[in-house]
Amino acid sequence: QVQLVESGGGLVQAGGSLRLACVASGRTVRNYAMGWFRQAPGKERELVAAVTWSGIGEADADSVKGRFTISRDNAKNTIYLQINSLKREDTAVYFCAAKRLGGTWSNVDYWGQGTQVTVSS
């Protein structure tokens, strides 16, 4: 069992930055790759970035390249998503997710509760 708790969302002006955090807990957490998804109103949930605990990147969406950076702190079992140059279209609920190593991101094993990011003009 893996538990995921996100934090760091909020209301920010366009052009600003945010850093989201996801704390993962559970004895088997190292058996999972970690990712960030987002879901905007009326749209499907999309994977924006993913990484393994050994630092191997697993995903990097074209729509956010150059602005979003995923990182990890293994000592704290925490995954971060640094979001820069925010745009209104980045407004969404951001979810932390975990899937078994070797699996696909279409089969996520665990989800966090989500954190809202709202970008104002």
Side-chain angles (χ1 to χ4, degrees):
Q1 192 79 356
V2 173
Q3 293 81 41
L4 305 173
V5 178
E6 302 102 330
S7 62
L11 175 64
V12 64
Q13 284 192 327
S17 298
L18 275 178
R19 189 175 77 157
L20 308 181
C22 170
V23 179
S25 59
R27 290 186 303 161
T28 61
V29 68
R30 290 291 186 270
N31 294 336
Y32 295 83
M34 303 297 297
W36 286 98
F37 285 74
R38 68 181 180 182
Q39 187 165 22
K43 294 189 176 181
E44 292 188 356
R45 196 171 293 190
E46 66 166 339
L47 177 65
V48 295
V51 70
T52 68
W53 291 105
S54 59
I56 299 171
E58 289 215 346
D60 188 10
D62 288 340
S63 59
V64 303
K65 263 180 186 169
R67 299 190 299 119
F68 287 26
T69 304
I70 191 169
S71 62
R72 79 215 188 278
D73 184 334
N74 287 23
K76 296 180 180 179
N77 274 5
T78 301
I79 298 291
Y80 301 98
L81 186 68
Q82 178 70 39
I83 312 174
N84 297 326
S85 302
L86 276 156
K87 304 176 181 181
R88 289 196 66 185
E89 52 263 41
D90 295 321
T91 294
V93 179
Y94 285 72
F95 296 91
C96 181
K99 62 94 177 171
R100 294 180 192 275
L101 293 174
T104 67
W105 283 106
S106 58
N107 290 301
V108 169
D109 294 283
Y110 299 100
W111 292 98
Q113 81 283 2
T115 186
Q116 176 71 47
V117 172
T118 302
V119 183
S120 64
S121 57

